[in-house]
Amino acid sequence: MCVGFYIKGYSWKMKMTEEWRAILGKAIWAASGDNAQPWSVNILSEDRVVVHLATEKQNVYNLVPIPDWISLGMFIENMSLATAGLGKRIDTEMIDDYQIQVDLVPENDLVINPISKFIESRSVNRLSYKRDQIAAQTKHKLAALFDEDMELHWFDTDKKRFQIARAIMRSTDLRLRMEETYQIHKNMLDWENAQSHDGLPIESIGLSAFSAKSLKWLLANERRNNRVMKLPGATIFTQIELDLIPAMLCGAHFIASFKPDMRPHPQAVDYVRAGRAMQRFWLTLTQEHLCMQPWYIVFMFSLYVERGMFFTTQHDRAQKLYKHFTQQITAPENISVNHMFFTGRVGVPNKNPKGRSLRKPLDSFIIDDGL
């Protein structure tokens, strides 16, 4: 008679092949909001894993889990790019809105995509860029990376840059004044390390030394922070440094969205597809020596207002942000907030930030169901 046994924390290591270690080691370099890294992986066999999204990491920035689905898609795309170098491809199946089964399948004729070598170097640059226009051929190359039910909208005139700058400034004024975001901001910023494995290094976000010290002083005490944030003009210097200057000094802004006639009601699986496209987009930008910074909060807060969701006591400021964004930016371009999935700015970097978000060790993402 054969007696089986299970040692907790060891079972998955028996299934962690060198292939999975190589593939997942690339996958975890996907982008995620505030470097939350909301994924975990259950290794079922040498050719099958299940990737999970951590729903417990939900906060006011992802009450609708579009950012998480996009991040999951980026994770899956990194897996796909990594497998090509091993003579394999991946087949995927959504189990539910928060789990994807991934199977390794032999494929001898795959060509390694050259953007795969930028997986680990791709990063957010929150500093100012050169104002060089994005070349038409580059825009065409980037547009070709998306599925046929998706489209890119570009904003590269000074008028449009300023309209978007105003929207981002409004979102910063709102989020810094919201009591709902205090703990998020306090927890996500890393004040000690220029290279942070589980947060945002303060040196990476683009604040001056004075503003960074002021922010640290505010976040040290919630009552103090809330009192100061009730004052007129309390956020103006942060708006100028983090929003106005970078938004004006870039090559272009963009909005990526689904075509309403082809995808009237996007589902989780569609946002995962969009995330895969966005990863190809971002890696291609890196290949072209361009950089990117998302400005997601404008989009998410506007989506909440559009859908009638209560997310803050700062109701008037939220309404003003929504009206500015929709009336000045999206409506003139016939863009539906309900069909957007990514927003950001791109350009040629002036310099790279001193700090950078890294990733937690691969083994910390592996879960075991004990089977």
Side-chain angles (χ1 to χ4, degrees), residues 77-91:
E77 185 62 21
N78 276 354
M79 292 184 71
S80 178
L81 291 168
T83 55
L86 302 172
K88 302 283 182 74
R89 73 168 197 273
I90 60 170
D91 288 344

Side-chain angles (χ1 to χ4, degrees), residues 84 87-89 106-112:
K88 302 283 182 74
R89 73 168 197 273
E107 185 72 63
N108 295 324
D109 298 326
L110 285 175
V111 176
I112 298 175

Side-chain angles (χ1 to χ4, degrees), residues 242-307:
L242 294 190
D243 306 325
L244 177 61
I245 294 173
M248 296 303 296
L249 297 181
C250 67
H253 294 268
F254 71 89
I255 293 176
S257 65
F258 293 104
K259 298 176 182 177
D261 57 332
M262 298 183 68
R263 194 64 53 192
H265 304 290
Q267 304 298 311
V269 65
D270 300 309
Y271 289 108
V272 171
R273 281 194 301 112
R276 296 189 64 169
M278 283 309 308
Q279 183 68 356
R280 296 191 293 270
F281 177 91
W282 206 335
L283 292 175
T284 302
L285 285 174
T286 308
Q287 181 188 43
E288 296 288 324
H289 306 290
L290 298 170
C291 55
M292 183 174 85
Q293 178 190 8
W295 40 268
Y296 234 109
I297 298 171
V298 176
F299 160 39
M300 294 307 297
F301 284 180
S302 296
L303 182 65
Y304 299 162
V305 176
E306 173 87 7
R307 296 186 178 182

Side-chain angles (χ1 to χ4, degrees), residues 127-146:
L127 306 180
S128 61
Y129 309 157
K130 296 178 181 178
R131 284 171 51 86
D132 300 357
Q133 291 280 329
I134 307 301
Q137 64 184 32
T138 301
K139 289 182 179 180
H140 180 76
K141 180 178 181 179
L142 293 169
L145 301 171
F146 292 84

Side-chain angles (χ1 to χ4, degrees), residues 23-191:
I23 294 165
L24 296 172
K26 294 292 186 180
I28 62 174
W29 285 95
S32 60
D34 303 332
N35 200 26
Q37 304 168 63
W39 330 280
S40 57
V41 181
N42 189 353
I43 303 175
L44 300 182
S45 70
E46 64 181 16
D47 55 15
R48 175 171 291 177
V49 300
V50 175
V51 183
H52 306 258
L53 269 180
T55 55
E56 70 272 9
K57 294 193 175 184
Q58 189 177 58
N59 59 49
V60 73
Y61 291 140
N62 63 348
L63 295 178
V64 178
I66 292 173
D68 296 327
W69 289 327
I70 294 294
S71 183
L72 178 58
M74 291 178 167
F75 188 99
I76 297 298
E77 185 62 21
N78 276 354
M79 292 184 71
S80 178
L81 291 168
T83 55
L86 302 172
K88 302 283 182 74
R89 73 168 197 273
I90 60 170
D91 288 344
T92 62
E93 180 181 353
M94 292 285 291
I95 298 172
D96 56 35
D97 287 355
Y98 299 95
Q99 298 181 92
I100 297 182
Q101 178 177 294
V102 182
D103 292 312
L104 275 182
V105 180
E107 185 72 63
N108 295 324
D109 298 326
L110 285 175
V111 176
I112 298 175
N113 193 323
I115 64 174
S116 62
K117 69 180 181 180
F118 299 101
I119 287 175
E120 294 183 39
S121 60
R122 175 219 58 81
S123 186
V124 177
N125 188 325
R126 299 176 179 86
L127 306 180
S128 61
Y129 309 157
K130 296 178 181 178
R131 284 171 51 86
D132 300 357
Q133 291 280 329
I134 307 301
Q137 64 184 32
T138 301
K139 289 182 179 180
H140 180 76
K141 180 178 181 179
L142 293 169
L145 301 171
F146 292 84
D147 297 345
E148 63 177 358
D149 61 344
M150 306 171 191
E151 57 188 345
L152 274 175
H153 311 265
W154 293 98
F155 304 83
D156 52 13
T157 66
D158 282 340
K159 179 180 178 180
K160 290 299 182 182
R161 286 190 185 96
F162 185 66
Q163 288 173 340
I164 289 174
R166 288 289 306 279
I168 302 172
M169 291 169 74
R170 286 181 182 274
S171 73
T172 291
D173 184 56
L174 172 58
R175 66 184 176 86
L176 291 182
R177 293 179 185 276
M178 289 169 56
E179 294 183 5
E180 297 88 351
T181 62
Y182 169 80
Q183 204 62 47
I184 302 170
H185 297 160
K186 183 178 181 179
N187 293 340
M188 77 181 186
L189 291 172
D190 188 333
W191 300 92

Side-chain angles (χ1 to χ4, degrees), residues 187-368:
N187 293 340
M188 77 181 186
L189 291 172
D190 188 333
W191 300 92
E192 306 298 329
N193 303 295
Q195 309 288 318
S196 179
H197 290 85
D198 57 0
L200 297 182
I202 190 63
E203 294 182 5
S204 72
I205 67 174
L207 282 176
S208 66
F210 172 78
S211 294
K213 289 180 181 179
S214 299
L215 180 60
K216 187 175 184 179
W217 176 76
L218 285 172
L219 292 179
N221 184 286
E222 185 171 7
R223 182 178 296 180
R224 175 200 299 154
N225 181 80
N226 292 341
R227 282 203 308 267
V228 171
M229 286 302 145
K230 291 178 181 177
L231 299 175
T235 67
I236 188 62
F237 291 111
T238 304
Q239 291 179 51
I240 292 171
E241 289 183 3
L242 294 190
D243 306 325
L244 177 61
I245 294 173
M248 296 303 296
L249 297 181
C250 67
H253 294 268
F254 71 89
I255 293 176
S257 65
F258 293 104
K259 298 176 182 177
D261 57 332
M262 298 183 68
R263 194 64 53 192
H265 304 290
Q267 304 298 311
V269 65
D270 300 309
Y271 289 108
V272 171
R273 281 194 301 112
R276 296 189 64 169
M278 283 309 308
Q279 183 68 356
R280 296 191 293 270
F281 177 91
W282 206 335
L283 292 175
T284 302
L285 285 174
T286 308
Q287 181 188 43
E288 296 288 324
H289 306 290
L290 298 170
C291 55
M292 183 174 85
Q293 178 190 8
W295 40 268
Y296 234 109
I297 298 171
V298 176
F299 160 39
M300 294 307 297
F301 284 180
S302 296
L303 182 65
Y304 299 162
V305 176
E306 173 87 7
R307 296 186 178 182
M309 298 172 59
F310 177 82
F311 67 100
T312 178
T313 56
Q314 299 280 339
H315 179 74
D316 289 345
R317 284 189 170 88
Q319 286 289 335
K320 289 177 181 178
L321 167 62
Y322 169 74
K323 288 180 180 179
H324 175 85
F325 185 54
T326 54
Q327 294 176 5
Q328 300 294 320
I329 300 166
T330 61
E333 303 295 327
N334 294 317
I335 304 171
S336 164
V337 173
N338 276 303
H339 292 86
M340 293 164 50
F341 58 80
F342 208 96
T343 55
R345 67 183 181 104
V346 300
V348 178
N350 282 312
K351 61 180 180 179
N352 293 320
K354 295 180 181 179
R356 192 201 164 179
S357 295
L358 301 177
R359 297 297 180 270
K360 294 179 290 188
L362 172 59
D363 289 0
S364 68
F365 296 99
I366 310 302
I367 59 175
D368 201 321

